[in-house]
């Protein structure tokens, strides 16, 4: 696929792929993982809910998408809903680690940039092409720190459930999620697609209830309702950009 891409389009857009892949795959993953190590998962989740803000700011600054004033009201509403869900989950927030907060902030910032920078590439290439090339660029950069740590890992200590979780993280959360994400950005635009991200923690609570039998409290229900309201306002506040249909799109 990569050779076909190079044969058809040459090096014209390679710098754009390189920048987006480095930011969205490598730097984003480094920021996210090391933020989890430096501060609580709840703090990272809460900060990550600001991704729509960064994406909309960049898209607006570049003049690629336009958001109406209501969007800037909708994002804080979604953020408040995420906070409610996390409180209902008994989350703890630690803001004493400056490094952890900066890393946590780096994750939504690079995630928003990644989504916006991919938008113009998707006007020329299919979601499959963009996803494949981004992975090919980002994976070696992750390997710089990842390979030494992987070699030092005691793989024999992994339980079958750990292997299953790793397989899901690789195939579901990384490969398929990236592919679907690019399809969404191409069809709806970066700001509209990213506006849905605050739904993640609420959907996590729902899946925990269905799959693990965990109880859902009033805070999670109220938070979910607030998130849905904020997301609905945000999506409707973005001027829609409908790209031409690409027969290569899946």
């Amino acid at each position: 696929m990569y050779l076909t891409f190079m044969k058809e389009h040459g090096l014209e857009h390679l710098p754009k792929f390189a920048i987006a892949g480095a930011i969205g795959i490598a730097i984003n993953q480094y920021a996210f993982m090391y933020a989890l190590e430096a501060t609580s998962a709840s703090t990272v989740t809460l900060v990550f809910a600001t991704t729509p803000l960064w994406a909309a700011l960049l898209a607006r600054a570049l003049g690629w998408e336009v958001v109406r004033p209501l969007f800037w009201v909708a994002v804080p509403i979604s953020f408040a809903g995420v906070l409610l869900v996390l409180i209902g989950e008994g989350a703890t927030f630690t803001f004493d680690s400056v490094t952890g907060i900066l890393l946590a902030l780096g994750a939504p910032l690079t995630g928003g940039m990644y989504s916006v920078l991919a938008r113009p590439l998707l006007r020329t290439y299919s979601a499959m092409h963009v996803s494949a090339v981004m992975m090919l660029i980002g994976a070696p950069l992750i390997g710089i720190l990842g390979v030494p740590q992987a070699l030092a890992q005691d793989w024999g200590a992994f339980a079958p459930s750990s292997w299953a979780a790793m397989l899901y993280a690789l195939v579901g959360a990384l490969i398929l999620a990236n592919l679907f994400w690019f399809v969404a950005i191409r069809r709806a635009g970066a700001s509209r697609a990213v506006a849905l991200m605050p739904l993640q923690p609420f959907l996590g609570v729902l899946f925990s209830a269905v799959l693990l039998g965990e109880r859902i409290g009033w805070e999670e229900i109220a938070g979910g309702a607030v998130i849905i309201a904020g997301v609905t306002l945000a999506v409707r506040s973005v001027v829609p950009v409908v790209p031409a249909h690409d027969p290569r799109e899946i």
Side-chain angles (χ1 to χ4, degrees), residues 67-77 230 233-234 236-237:
V67 295
R68 298 187 178 96
L70 190 59
F71 182 91
W72 310 112
V73 177
V75 171
I77 290 175
L233 287 175
R236 293 184 176 181
S237 301

Side-chain angles (χ1 to χ4, degrees), residues 1 122 125-132 175-187 244-250:
M1 180 178 295
L122 289 163
Y125 309 99
S126 70
M128 181 71 78
H129 270 144
V130 173
S131 183
I175 298 176
L176 291 180
N178 260 280
L179 182 57
F180 295 155
W181 187 243
F182 287 134
V183 173
I185 291 175
R186 190 176 194 282
R187 293 179 180 274
H245 176 68
D246 187 343
R248 298 169 297 175
E249 191 73 72
I250 66 168

Side-chain angles (χ1 to χ4, degrees), residues 8 12-13 29 43 49 62 79 87 111 115 117 121 127 135 140 147-148 160 163 171 180 199 214 217 230:
E8 291 179 355
E12 179 184 359
H13 293 138
Q29 286 299 305
T43 303
L62 294 174
F79 186 85
I87 291 175
S115 300
L117 293 176
L121 294 172
M135 291 295 178
V147 170
W163 285 108
V171 178
F180 295 155
L199 285 170
E214 295 185 1

Side-chain angles (χ1 to χ4, degrees), residues 69-165:
L70 190 59
F71 182 91
W72 310 112
V73 177
V75 171
I77 290 175
S78 298
F79 186 85
V82 172
L83 180 60
L84 266 176
V85 170
L86 293 176
I87 291 175
E89 286 290 285
T92 57
F93 304 96
T94 55
F95 297 99
D96 54 335
S97 172
V98 176
T99 301
I101 296 301
L102 290 177
L103 287 170
L105 186 59
L109 180 58
T110 54
M113 293 174 65
Y114 180 54
S115 300
V116 173
L117 293 176
R119 174 64 172 167
L121 294 172
L122 289 163
R123 294 171 184 163
T124 304
Y125 309 99
S126 70
M128 181 71 78
H129 270 144
V130 173
S131 183
V133 176
M134 292 290 195
M135 291 295 178
L136 286 170
I137 291 173
L141 297 176
I142 293 178
I144 293 174
L145 296 182
V147 170
Q149 294 180 14
L151 293 175
Q153 176 69 44
D154 181 11
W155 298 101
F158 270 41
S161 58
S162 299
W163 285 108

Side-chain angles (χ1 to χ4, degrees), residues 43-58 71-72 75-76 78-80 82 101 104-113 194-195 197-198 200-201:
T43 303
V44 175
T45 301
L46 187 62
V47 176
F48 203 77
T50 64
T51 300
L53 174 64
W54 306 113
L57 285 173
L58 181 58
F71 182 91
W72 310 112
V75 171
S78 298
F79 186 85
V82 172
I101 296 301
L105 186 59
L109 180 58
T110 54
M113 293 174 65
V194 174
M197 294 186 70
Q200 287 182 338

